Amino acid sequence: MAASEEVPAVAEGADSAPWAHLEAPARCLMQALQLGPEGAWRGLGLLRALGSRGGEPFGWGCVLEALCREEPAVEGPDCRLELKPLLLRLPPLCQRNLMSLLMALGPSLPQSGLLPVLQIARQDQSPNPDAWLQTLGELLWRDLNAGVATEETSPLSTDCQRQLQGLCRRLGQGGRRLKLAQAPVPEEEQEEGKEDKDSPRPGKRRKGPEEEPASPEGGRAPKRFRHLEREEEGGQEEETHEPESLEPPADGGGASPMENQLVLAEPREAGQSLEEAKDLAESLELPKAVQDQVPRLQQLLKTFGEGLEGAPPLELQLLHECSPSQMDLLCAQLQLPQLSDPALLQLCTWLLSLSPDLSLSNATILTRSLFLRRILSLTSSASRLLIMALTSFCAKYAYPVCRALLGPVLQAPETGPAQTELLCCLLKDEALAPDTQVLMLGQILELPWKEDTFVVLQSLLERQVEMTPEKFSVLMEKLCKEGPAATASVAYAKLMLTVMTKYQASITEIHRLGLAAALELNTTFLRKPLQAALRHLAP
């Protein structure tokens, strides 16, 4: 029993991640970036693994655009609602690793999409901006704007530079390799370098004559710090084995200088991180039993038509073996968004007859794949088959439909009359259970409201939703707050009229005063009916 109670919480956590609305490859990348300090390296390995499969190139343009898109977020101890770009809503670790990855891939990314992201990172107006994120953004900004006036300044503070120089000085007293910037190369080091060229050791790469001395701001100091760390950890082992160089080959190897910086960032864990990135990529592959049945499932989807009945094919039972990320991949391979409406209805009928039920996470992914793009692309009223498929799926998987469909459709900029009409049909469906009505209402109350929201909410409240006094107070507070901005909205006036007539018994004197203030400036043709309904509320 305990295990079953934990499922909704886990699913809700996965669905509430800031990147939950992104496409499957982008979501996987964000998850990789969140896997510890070496997340940037893992993300790079994941991109290489996905690229090696020969599919479509990673859609950086859409990802960078999504990072800049402002969405409502709850901020501060007073839980106020603010608009924040996705970049600043990511966890701090994910932000830093993402910026490191962008530094590695900078030259290959679309500059028109990258510059707005950097602008957000450099001009974070939050009370406690992440200095690390801002510094990484500043460095990448310089790489993209070579020759700007700021290139001679350091992103490090004066105190940080002073401490770093002092540390270099102390570590350089041992006569090894770490020295201050622009310091002359000692004769003994030159002789040592000559000996290295004459008798190269196993595992060590010859150094080119262009190698520069260490600098507090340069790219060589971190490598030499790690050299000293290995010296302390390895003791006498370093006398016989020096660490293998991770510098790029002489011919460049096709890698950019910034990508090489990222490679130098984690040399001791490079092999381990690559292996973990490979494991992560492999986790996105379908289980063999499922992969073997993909052609059969594709054939079934092609031959779907109205009137097909019977038990679901045994191949669909394999859905239970897929993790959420694998379910994403399977939906993409089966091209579920391109199904015809008859095929959609038949597939939903079979999915609903599966035993045991699908997990909440997998049902959420299926909801998104089956319905979201299809609904947002509507230009006219939805077909009867689409409405039947959606209402039947919602009757069993209300939570996934609420999280993956209701909120995203209401917030999408392309939402219009066709989408609004379909949501109203869904909320008016007689099969919608009372607890599902409350769930839908709670989702709508969390969203910023607009004209389409008023229409959809009225359709729901006409069902006389059974809600607690606390939730009703939240509804009334939000309704009254929208009044000054909706003085000319007929949809808002109809919504207020529905509330005052169907929920009259729940309206208190405080609620009545709020309604009076909200309706005082109303200019619609429903002004008089609204005032009459308000008078009926008088004690």
Side-chain angles (χ1 to χ4, degrees), residues 107-137:
S108 63
L109 299 178
Q111 188 168 346
S112 60
L114 187 56
L115 289 177
V117 174
L118 300 182
Q119 196 73 20
I120 292 173
R122 298 172 73 218
Q123 299 181 359
D124 183 7
Q125 300 298 324
S126 58
N128 299 305
D130 190 335
W132 184 259
L133 177 66
Q134 290 183 321
T135 300
L136 288 173

Side-chain angles (χ1 to χ4, degrees), residues 170-209:
R170 289 195 300 273
L171 293 175
Q173 292 175 357
R176 298 289 297 179
R177 297 181 178 177
L178 188 62
K179 292 169 284 297
L180 292 174
Q182 300 178 356
V185 181
E187 294 181 0
E188 50 267 30
E189 181 163 323
Q190 294 178 355
E191 295 175 0
E192 178 185 347
K194 185 176 181 180
E195 293 174 3
D196 289 343
K197 290 182 180 180
D198 293 338
S199 56
R201 301 177 187 176
K204 179 176 179 180
R205 189 185 299 275
R206 291 184 179 182
K207 295 182 178 293

Side-chain angles (χ1 to χ4, degrees), residues 35 63 121 256 353 369 414 448 529:
L35 296 177
V63 173
S256 67
S353 63
S369 297
E414 57 263 50

Side-chain angles (χ1 to χ4, degrees), residues 244-500:
E244 182 177 355
S245 171
L246 289 177
E247 296 178 10
D251 61 357
S256 67
M258 283 186 290
E259 186 169 337
N260 293 329
Q261 291 178 14
L262 180 61
V263 172
L264 290 174
E266 297 286 347
R268 285 198 298 173
E269 299 180 4
Q272 176 185 355
S273 298
L274 277 175
E275 196 65 33
E276 290 172 347
K278 182 179 178 182
D279 292 342
L280 181 60
E282 289 177 352
S283 71
L284 301 179
E285 297 179 354
L286 295 177
K288 187 176 184 306
V290 178
Q291 187 65 55
D292 292 343
Q293 296 299 327
V294 166
R296 165 66 175 159
L297 290 172
Q298 291 173 333
Q299 185 62 31
L300 280 173
L301 295 178
K302 289 180 181 179
T303 56
F304 271 155
E306 289 189 87
L308 292 180
E309 298 180 357
L314 293 178
E315 291 84 356
L316 289 180
Q317 294 290 343
L318 297 174
L319 296 178
H320 296 296
E321 300 184 17
C322 293
S323 66
S325 58
Q326 291 168 340
M327 181 66 75
D328 252 332
L329 181 59
L330 179 61
C331 291
Q333 290 190 16
L334 296 179
Q335 298 180 331
L336 296 186
Q338 282 76 47
L339 286 178
S340 64
D341 287 353
L344 173 68
L345 179 59
Q346 182 59 65
L347 179 58
C348 288
T349 302
W350 280 347
L351 290 174
L352 295 176
S353 63
L354 286 177
S355 181
D357 294 346
L358 295 167
S359 68
L360 292 181
S361 296
N362 282 352
T364 301
I365 292 168
L366 278 170
T367 302
R368 188 183 299 118
S369 297
L370 290 170
F371 297 107
L372 184 56
R373 188 183 303 177
R374 184 187 306 270
I375 292 175
L376 292 179
S377 63
L378 288 174
T379 56
S380 59
S381 298
S383 69
R384 176 180 59 86
L385 298 177
L386 174 56
I387 295 174
M388 291 174 59
L390 178 58
T391 52
S392 61
F393 200 83
C394 181
K396 186 167 187 175
Y397 295 107
Y399 177 84
V401 171
C402 182
R403 301 297 294 184
L405 201 64
L406 180 62
V409 170
L410 284 176
Q411 293 183 89
E414 57 263 50
T415 296
Q419 289 77 21
T420 303
E421 180 185 13
L422 178 58
L423 290 181
C424 290
C425 289
L426 173 65
L427 297 180
K428 289 179 178 179
D429 183 55
E430 294 295 333
L432 207 63
D435 56 340
T436 303
Q437 297 174 10
V438 175
L439 181 67
M440 299 290 188
L441 176 61
Q443 176 68 37
I444 296 175
L445 292 178
E446 293 177 3
L447 303 174
W449 286 2
K450 54 183 182 179
E451 193 74 6
D452 297 318
T453 313
F454 299 147
V455 178
V456 173
L457 184 57
Q458 183 199 357
S459 297
L460 177 62
L461 293 180
E462 284 180 346
R463 300 284 305 276
Q464 288 190 310
V465 180
E466 299 177 2
M467 63 188 97
T468 63
E470 293 78 14
K471 189 173 287 289
F472 184 75
S473 294
V474 173
L475 170 64
M476 294 301 298
E477 181 182 354
K478 193 150 187 175
L479 276 173
C480 296
K481 192 178 294 184
E482 294 290 330
T487 56
S489 171
V490 175
Y492 176 77
K494 290 181 177 180
L495 173 61
M496 295 292 277
L497 196 58
T498 298
V499 171
M500 287 190 290

